[in-house]
Amino acid sequence: MNFKKLLILGVVLISTTLFSQELALSEAESKPNVIVILADDIGSGDISHYRRIHSNNIIVETPTIDKLAKEGKIFTDAHSPAALCAPTRYAIMTGNHCYRSYAPSGVWGCYQPSPIEKNQLTLGKLMKQAGYKTSFFGKWGFGMDFARKDNPNEVYKSPRKEHETDVDISKVIDRGPVQNGFDYSFMYPAGIQAEPYAVYENGVMAPLKEDSEIVLITQKYASNLGFKLDKKEGLGDSNWDPHNAGTLLINKAVDFIEKNSETNEPFFMYYCSQAVHKPHTPSKKLNGTKIAGTTPSSHLDMVKELDIQVEMMVQTLKKQGIYDNTLIIFTSDNGGLLIKKTMASKHKSSDIYRGGKNQMYEGGTRVPFIAWWPSKIKANTVSNTPILGIDIMATLANLTNQNIEENQAMDSSNLLPILLDAKDIEPHPFLITQSGTGKQVMITENGWKLIIQIDKKDKTFKKRTPFALFNLNKNISENENQNLINNPKYQNKVKELFEKYNQTRDSKVKTGKS
């Protein structure tokens, strides 16, 4: 081969390589990085941007989350699937209503069987299919498999008793983030509130210090560190201290963004913060800002810490040059907390809504929902469309040009047309949500909300009785105190909504619009 032919071949190879690199870069740019932030126990009133819709009395500012709201789109009628975390986390992860789980009221305890079936679609699997580097950070919040201490081949079955010490907590053997589509995970199995009191990297317990060992974390241990256990005593890392949990979590998330922004592969991050669940153990300082003791309550210190965690994410996106090509969705697993010291300061976690976490009223499920994508979503826009946290699944499927199989994500609706102002759609003709330990379910259609009481002794969940009817169309804060259930004028409305709920749930019909 002569020199001229070699030169031509070299030019062709270089051109082909450059074209391939440009094509890869173009594909990476066309797929935005995606960060879904699921805050713990954050009500609409905890975010100062939302609170300002109804009041100028702001006790704690959330400047970074407010900036996302101002630069993106907020939803004013967004709801968590349930008023408690465990059922909500199942629903958002799978795109299914809580009642499709084997435990509709939630799987409580990390040693319990996972509600996610092995062949079920999850956010991690969905985004991995689309070519994303997937990651999970923070509170998993429902069951997974650990082995028995005396038999590594047998799954530990929890009796839900005090001092469960027969379980090997050194690693997750199945049904955790790794098995649900997440390439990388840094996880608190039950957040900071319950056993095991440890952190796991890719399913393996990550020692908090070099001398860490597995010990029984007792209330006496917690008292020595200045906090009260929110749940029962149990196994954990001998250096467990929830005051450090938020700092550790966000630093790992920042590291992930930095490492994965240097590749052509887009990343997906599902960030489930420890804030603001009990125990309220804020960091002393984070990102150069003092936190502990700077607000009227340790609860509100945690709200401040959450905002700074988001600040650190946004700063890293800017630093890495991927700020404009990242979609952030921010929401919460249930409504806000009703903490006496916080309420004494005049801060209203539930904003104008009645009730809060665990309750059947609007304050139990009304949550902030913010979508931010500088290059695509118009700034300072508001949607009053009723939506659910479940809708994240179908929205991300459409974002990544994927079709969801008919038997997957049955209740998730695509919000992308609303986010991009492409089309005015109705994701749900009615919303189905549920309370917590009170065992109520709710159906809301055109502003009419029927609360249905499920018999607490009925394990089939089929003994249901209409309990309350509210007209939320006008003066919502007052009208949810006016129960119309026995008013003869509205008996047809009670019957209509009751039958609609029963038919929808019992038929197991698909309710989402993907």
Side-chain angles (χ1 to χ4, degrees):
M1 187 179 289
N2 60 33
F3 176 76
K4 187 174 181 181
K5 287 183 177 179
L6 280 171
L7 183 63
I8 292 171
L9 181 60
V11 170
V12 170
L13 287 171
I14 292 170
S15 299
T16 303
T17 302
L18 288 172
F19 176 76
S20 298
Q21 290 175 343
E22 287 174 2
L23 182 62
L25 183 62
S26 175
E27 287 177 349
E29 287 176 341
S30 66
K31 287 183 179 179
N33 302 301
V34 178
I35 299 175
V36 173
I37 302 171
L38 185 67
D40 202 336
D41 295 350
I42 283 286
S44 296
D46 289 321
I47 306 304
S48 47
H49 182 86
Y50 272 87
R51 181 64 181 139
R52 280 193 173 89
I53 296 173
H54 301 114
S55 173
N56 288 320
N57 184 31
I58 308 300
I59 307 302
V60 173
E61 297 280 359
T62 51
T64 303
I65 299 172
D66 286 7
K67 194 169 188 291
L68 296 182
K70 291 171 186 174
E71 293 180 355
K73 183 184 289 287
I74 70 166
F75 289 79
T76 60
D77 198 2
H79 293 258
S80 57
L84 278 181
C85 65
T88 283
R89 289 169 192 274
Y90 158 81
I92 292 179
M93 183 68 83
T94 64
N96 290 309
H97 278 311
C98 307
Y99 60 70
R100 297 191 193 275
S101 160
Y102 82 84
S105 296
V107 173
W108 299 99
C110 285
Y111 307 146
Q112 300 294 319
S114 172
I116 301 175
E117 302 296 334
K118 291 195 174 185
N119 63 349
Q120 204 161 25
L121 185 66
T122 65
L123 291 176
K125 292 176 184 177
L126 176 82
M127 298 305 278
K128 192 168 184 174
Q129 289 171 180
Y132 278 70
K133 178 75 172 180
T134 57
S135 64
F136 179 87
F137 291 86
K139 177 180 174 180
W140 189 248
F142 43 79
M144 62 193 74
D145 289 352
F146 289 89
R148 286 188 58 85
K149 191 178 288 185
D150 58 4
N151 186 351
N153 298 314
E154 183 180 344
V155 175
Y156 175 76
K157 295 179 180 178
S158 171
R160 298 300 300 275
K161 66 176 184 178
E162 194 75 21
H163 296 174
E164 295 190 50
T165 57
D166 297 329
V167 56
D168 177 9
I169 69 165
S170 65
K171 63 181 178 181
V172 178
I173 62 171
D174 201 2
R175 307 186 80 174
V178 173
Q179 294 80 21
N180 280 289
F182 293 99
D183 298 313
Y184 176 81
S185 60
F186 193 79
M187 170 194 64
Y188 296 111
I192 58 173
Q193 71 263 30
E195 60 188 330
Y197 297 102
V199 63
Y200 293 76
E201 191 166 28
N202 295 329
V204 179
M205 182 175 165
L208 293 171
K209 292 183 181 178
E210 288 186 5
D211 64 349
S212 285
E213 56 184 336
I214 295 173
V215 299
L216 185 68
I217 303 298
T218 64
Q219 182 51 55
K220 182 179 179 181
Y221 170 94
S223 297
N224 289 336
L225 292 175
F227 73 96
K228 181 180 178 181
L229 291 176
D230 186 54
K231 301 293 187 292
K232 65 189 180 75
E233 299 177 339
L235 294 178
D237 189 305
S238 56
N239 289 297
W240 176 256
D241 186 351
H243 294 90
N244 302 325
T247 299
L248 182 60
L249 183 63
I250 187 58
N251 284 337
K252 285 289 185 178
V254 165
D255 287 346
F256 178 86
I257 295 172
E258 289 177 343
K259 290 175 183 176
N260 288 279
S261 60
E262 296 170 357
T263 69
N264 291 330
E265 187 181 30
F267 68 80
F268 169 65
M269 177 186 292
Y270 189 19
Y271 186 89
C272 297
S273 70
Q274 96 292 358
V276 300
H277 201 287
K278 290 180 178 179
H280 291 143
T281 50
S283 302
K284 288 182 180 179
K285 197 174 187 180
L286 186 61
N287 206 29
T289 301
K290 291 182 180 179
I291 299 175
T294 61
T295 76
S297 67
S298 56
H299 165 222
L300 293 180
D301 286 348
M302 296 283 278
V303 173
K304 182 176 179 178
E305 177 172 335
L306 174 64
D307 189 75
I308 296 172
Q309 290 180 16
V310 179
E311 174 187 77
M312 292 173 70
M313 284 187 201
V314 172
Q315 287 175 347
T316 308
L317 295 175
K318 288 182 177 180
K319 175 186 168 187
Q320 299 301 118
I322 53 175
Y323 178 81
D324 290 327
N325 195 40
T326 300
L327 166 64
I328 295 179
I329 294 174
F330 176 94
T331 189
S332 177
D333 62 350
N334 47 248
L337 299 174
L338 304 177
I339 304 294
K340 287 183 179 180
K341 195 171 182 181
T342 295
M343 294 165 69
S345 74
K346 305 301 181 184
H347 177 91
K348 295 186 176 181
S349 291
S350 300
D351 197 12
I352 62 170
Y353 307 108
R354 182 181 179 183
K357 175 182 178 177
N358 194 34
Q359 297 186 11
M360 58 188 152
Y361 303 111
E362 288 294 282
T365 63
R366 283 253 185 174
V367 291
F369 194 105
I370 301 167
W372 174 92
W373 186 7
S375 61
K376 297 291 183 181
I377 295 176
K378 289 181 183 178
N380 205 27
T381 50
V382 179
S383 174
N384 299 318
T385 303
I387 65 166
L388 293 163
I390 292 173
D391 298 331
I392 292 172
M393 175 75 86
T395 303
L396 296 187
N398 278 267
L399 177 74
T400 54
N401 297 312
Q402 297 185 75
N403 292 320
I404 295 176
E405 292 182 14
E406 199 63 31
N407 63 336
Q408 301 283 5
M410 297 280 282
D411 308 300
S412 185
S413 290
N414 174 28
L415 304 180
L416 203 59
I418 301 176
L419 299 185
L420 303 181
D421 290 320
K423 190 178 180 182
D424 187 19
I425 62 168
E426 181 187 56
H428 301 276
F430 52 85
L431 297 186
I432 287 179
T433 54
Q434 65 184 54
S435 69
T437 53
K439 218 170 180 180
Q440 297 93 8
V441 293
M442 296 83 79
I443 179 170
T444 306
E445 182 180 37
N446 298 325
W448 287 92
K449 176 178 178 178
L450 180 69
I451 298 175
I452 302 164
Q453 179 68 57
I454 294 180
D455 189 328
K456 292 184 178 182
K457 296 179 181 179
D458 176 28
K459 293 184 179 180
T460 68
F461 292 85
K462 290 186 176 180
K463 292 182 180 178
R464 308 171 193 143
T465 306
F467 176 78
L469 177 71
F470 298 113
N471 180 1
L472 306 181
N473 287 298
K474 294 181 180 179
N475 202 347
I476 192 169
S477 57
E478 288 188 14
N479 282 0
E480 205 172 14
N481 287 291
Q482 298 176 16
N483 187 357
L484 305 173
I485 195 73
N486 294 319
N487 189 321
K489 183 179 176 182
Y490 300 109
Q491 292 312 296
N492 286 339
K493 178 63 68 176
V494 172
K495 182 181 178 182
E496 174 193 347
L497 291 174
F498 187 52
E499 289 179 352
K500 190 167 291 186
Y501 178 87
N502 289 334
Q503 182 180 12
T504 301
R505 179 166 180 166
D506 295 340
S507 68
K508 298 182 180 179
V509 65
K510 176 182 173 69
T511 69
K513 299 177 183 178
S514 56

